[in-house]
PDB file of all heavy atoms in Angstrom:
ATOM      1  N   GLU B 434      46.159  70.618 280.268  1.00 92.00           N
ATOM      2  CA  GLU B 434      47.434  70.267 279.642  1.00 92.00           C
ATOM      3  C   GLU B 434      47.195  69.135 278.611  1.00 92.00           C
ATOM      4  O   GLU B 434      47.746  69.201 277.498  1.00 92.00           O
ATOM      5  CB  GLU B 434      48.429  69.813 280.727  1.00 92.00           C
ATOM      6  CG  GLU B 434      49.770  69.460 280.125  1.00 92.00           C
ATOM      7  CD  GLU B 434      50.862  69.491 281.157  1.00 92.00           C
ATOM      8  OE1 GLU B 434      50.681  68.837 282.224  1.00 92.00           O
ATOM      9  OE2 GLU B 434      51.890  70.150 280.935  1.00 92.00           O
ATOM     10  N   LYS B 435      46.417  68.175 278.969  1.00 90.00           N
ATOM     11  CA  LYS B 435      46.115  67.081 278.058  1.00 90.00           C
ATOM     12  C   LYS B 435      45.374  67.587 276.820  1.00 90.00           C
ATOM     13  O   LYS B 435      45.686  67.212 275.679  1.00 90.00           O
ATOM     14  CB  LYS B 435      45.303  66.003 278.775  1.00 90.00           C
ATOM     15  CG  LYS B 435      45.066  64.760 277.924  1.00 90.00           C
ATOM     16  CD  LYS B 435      44.511  63.622 278.727  1.00 90.00           C
ATOM     17  CE  LYS B 435      44.411  62.365 277.856  1.00 90.00           C
ATOM     18  NZ  LYS B 435      43.780  62.598 276.558  1.00 90.00           N
ATOM     19  N   ILE B 436      44.426  68.461 277.040  1.00 90.00           N
ATOM     20  CA  ILE B 436      43.652  69.046 275.918  1.00 90.00           C
ATOM     21  C   ILE B 436      44.610  69.798 274.990  1.00 90.00           C
ATOM     22  O   ILE B 436      44.514  69.690 273.757  1.00 90.00           O
ATOM     23  CB  ILE B 436      42.558  70.000 276.448  1.00 90.00           C
ATOM     24  CG1 ILE B 436      41.406  69.180 277.053  1.00 90.00           C
ATOM     25  CG2 ILE B 436      42.021  70.904 275.340  1.00 90.00           C
ATOM     26  CD1 ILE B 436      40.419  70.010 277.840  1.00 90.00           C
ATOM     27  N   TRP B 437      45.515  70.525 275.588  1.00 92.00           N
ATOM     28  CA  TRP B 437      46.454  71.281 274.765  1.00 92.00           C
ATOM     29  C   TRP B 437      47.337  70.360 273.920  1.00 92.00           C
ATOM     30  O   TRP B 437      47.556  70.629 272.732  1.00 92.00           O
ATOM     31  CB  TRP B 437      47.323  72.159 275.715  1.00 92.00           C
ATOM     32  CG  TRP B 437      48.350  72.958 274.960  1.00 92.00           C
ATOM     33  CD1 TRP B 437      48.135  73.823 273.923  1.00 92.00           C
ATOM     34  CD2 TRP B 437      49.754  72.937 275.231  1.00 92.00           C
ATOM     35  NE1 TRP B 437      49.332  74.358 273.534  1.00 92.00           N
ATOM     36  CE2 TRP B 437      50.336  73.832 274.285  1.00 92.00           C
ATOM     37  CE3 TRP B 437      50.569  72.279 276.141  1.00 92.00           C
ATOM     38  CZ2 TRP B 437      51.693  74.093 274.274  1.00 92.00           C
ATOM     39  CZ3 TRP B 437      51.918  72.544 276.118  1.00 92.00           C
ATOM     40  CH2 TRP B 437      52.469  73.431 275.175  1.00 92.00           C
ATOM     41  N   ILE B 438      47.785  69.289 274.539  1.00 91.00           N
ATOM     42  CA  ILE B 438      48.635  68.344 273.797  1.00 91.00           C
ATOM     43  C   ILE B 438      47.809  67.667 272.672  1.00 91.00           C
ATOM     44  O   ILE B 438      48.263  67.561 271.541  1.00 91.00           O
ATOM     45  CB  ILE B 438      49.221  67.279 274.740  1.00 91.00           C
ATOM     46  CG1 ILE B 438      50.206  67.952 275.704  1.00 91.00           C
ATOM     47  CG2 ILE B 438      49.887  66.155 273.954  1.00 91.00           C
ATOM     48  CD1 ILE B 438      50.572  67.084 276.892  1.00 91.00           C
ATOM     49  N   ASP B 439      46.568  67.317 273.000  1.00 90.00           N
ATOM     50  CA  ASP B 439      45.722  66.600 272.003  1.00 90.00           C
ATOM     51  C   ASP B 439      45.271  67.498 270.870  1.00 90.00           C
ATOM     52  O   ASP B 439      45.138  67.048 269.753  1.00 90.00           O
ATOM     53  CB  ASP B 439      44.508  66.012 272.703  1.00 90.00           C
ATOM     54  CG  ASP B 439      44.866  64.861 273.636  1.00 90.00           C
ATOM     55  OD1 ASP B 439      46.008  64.366 273.563  1.00 90.00           O
ATOM     56  OD2 ASP B 439      43.996  64.452 274.426  1.00 90.00           O
ATOM     57  N   THR B 440      44.990  68.775 271.171  1.00 90.00           N
ATOM     58  CA  THR B 440      44.401  69.660 270.148  1.00 90.00           C
ATOM     59  C   THR B 440      45.399  70.581 269.468  1.00 90.00           C
ATOM     60  O   THR B 440      45.115  71.174 268.445  1.00 90.00           O
ATOM     61  CB  THR B 440      43.285  70.541 270.722  1.00 90.00           C
ATOM     62  OG1 THR B 440      43.854  71.439 271.701  1.00 90.00           O
ATOM     63  CG2 THR B 440      42.199  69.721 271.364  1.00 90.00           C
ATOM     64  N   GLN B 441      46.582  70.729 270.109  1.00 91.00           N
ATOM     65  CA  GLN B 441      47.647  71.634 269.556  1.00 91.00           C
ATOM     66  C   GLN B 441      47.156  73.084 269.414  1.00 91.00           C
ATOM     67  O   GLN B 441      47.633  73.786 268.522  1.00 91.00           O
ATOM     68  CB  GLN B 441      48.083  71.119 268.190  1.00 91.00           C
ATOM     69  CG  GLN B 441      48.410  69.667 268.147  1.00 91.00           C
ATOM     70  CD  GLN B 441      49.891  69.436 268.287  1.00 91.00           C
ATOM     71  OE1 GLN B 441      50.703  69.930 267.530  1.00 91.00           O
ATOM     72  NE2 GLN B 441      50.272  68.692 269.294  1.00 91.00           N
ATOM     73  N   LYS B 442      46.225  73.490 270.258  1.00 94.00           N
ATOM     74  CA  LYS B 442      45.725  74.889 270.196  1.00 94.00           C
ATOM     75  C   LYS B 442      46.778  75.861 270.667  1.00 94.00           C
ATOM     76  O   LYS B 442      47.610  75.518 271.520  1.00 94.00           O
ATOM     77  CB  LYS B 442      44.496  75.032 271.089  1.00 94.00           C
ATOM     78  CG  LYS B 442      43.288  74.260 270.667  1.00 94.00           C
ATOM     79  CD  LYS B 442      42.631  74.839 269.453  1.00 94.00           C
ATOM     80  CE  LYS B 442      41.496  73.970 268.989  1.00 94.00           C
ATOM     81  NZ  LYS B 442      41.146  74.116 267.591  1.00 94.00           N
ATOM     82  N   THR B 443      46.719  77.063 270.146  1.00 96.00           N
ATOM     83  CA  THR B 443      47.460  78.174 270.730  1.00 96.00           C
ATOM     84  C   THR B 443      46.628  78.670 271.930  1.00 96.00           C
ATOM     85  O   THR B 443      45.404  78.897 271.790  1.00 96.00           O
ATOM     86  CB  THR B 443      47.574  79.322 269.686  1.00 96.00           C
ATOM     87  OG1 THR B 443      48.127  78.764 268.496  1.00 96.00           O
ATOM     88  CG2 THR B 443      48.463  80.441 270.242  1.00 96.00           C
ATOM     89  N   ILE B 444      47.253  78.788 273.104  1.00 97.00           N
ATOM     90  CA  ILE B 444      46.519  79.201 274.276  1.00 97.00           C
ATOM     91  C   ILE B 444      47.172  80.440 274.895  1.00 97.00           C
ATOM     92  O   ILE B 444      48.368  80.466 275.124  1.00 97.00           O
ATOM     93  CB  ILE B 444      46.426  78.062 275.312  1.00 97.00           C
ATOM     94  CG1 ILE B 444      45.749  76.824 274.731  1.00 97.00           C
ATOM     95  CG2 ILE B 444      45.672  78.547 276.575  1.00 97.00           C
ATOM     96  CD1 ILE B 444      45.562  75.653 275.709  1.00 97.00           C
ATOM     97  N   VAL B 445      46.367  81.462 275.116  1.00 97.00           N
ATOM     98  CA  VAL B 445      46.814  82.646 275.851  1.00 97.00           C
ATOM     99  C   VAL B 445      46.027  82.657 277.158  1.00 97.00           C
ATOM    100  O   VAL B 445      44.809  82.723 277.160  1.00 97.00           O
ATOM    101  CB  VAL B 445      46.586  83.969 275.051  1.00 97.00           C
ATOM    102  CG1 VAL B 445      47.189  85.137 275.807  1.00 97.00           C
ATOM    103  CG2 VAL B 445      47.165  83.861 273.642  1.00 97.00           C
ATOM    104  N   PHE B 446      46.796  82.552 278.261  1.00 97.00           N
ATOM    105  CA  PHE B 446      46.203  82.234 279.553  1.00 97.00           C
ATOM    106  C   PHE B 446      46.554  83.340 280.548  1.00 97.00           C
ATOM    107  O   PHE B 446      47.732  83.528 280.889  1.00 97.00           O
ATOM    108  CB  PHE B 446      46.788  80.907 280.003  1.00 97.00           C
ATOM    109  CG  PHE B 446      46.188  80.314 281.234  1.00 97.00           C
ATOM    110  CD1 PHE B 446      45.225  79.308 281.140  1.00 97.00           C
ATOM    111  CD2 PHE B 446      46.641  80.678 282.501  1.00 97.00           C
ATOM    112  CE1 PHE B 446      44.678  78.734 282.280  1.00 97.00           C
ATOM    113  CE2 PHE B 446      46.109  80.102 283.650  1.00 97.00           C
ATOM    114  CZ  PHE B 446      45.121  79.135 283.529  1.00 97.00           C
TER     115      PHE B 446
END
Side-chain angles (χ1 to χ4, degrees):
E434 181 160 52
K435 185 169 185 311
I436 286 168
W437 178 54
I438 293 165
D439 291 348
T440 64
Q441 311 263 303
K442 295 286 176 203
T443 307
I444 301 183
V445 185
F446 187 98

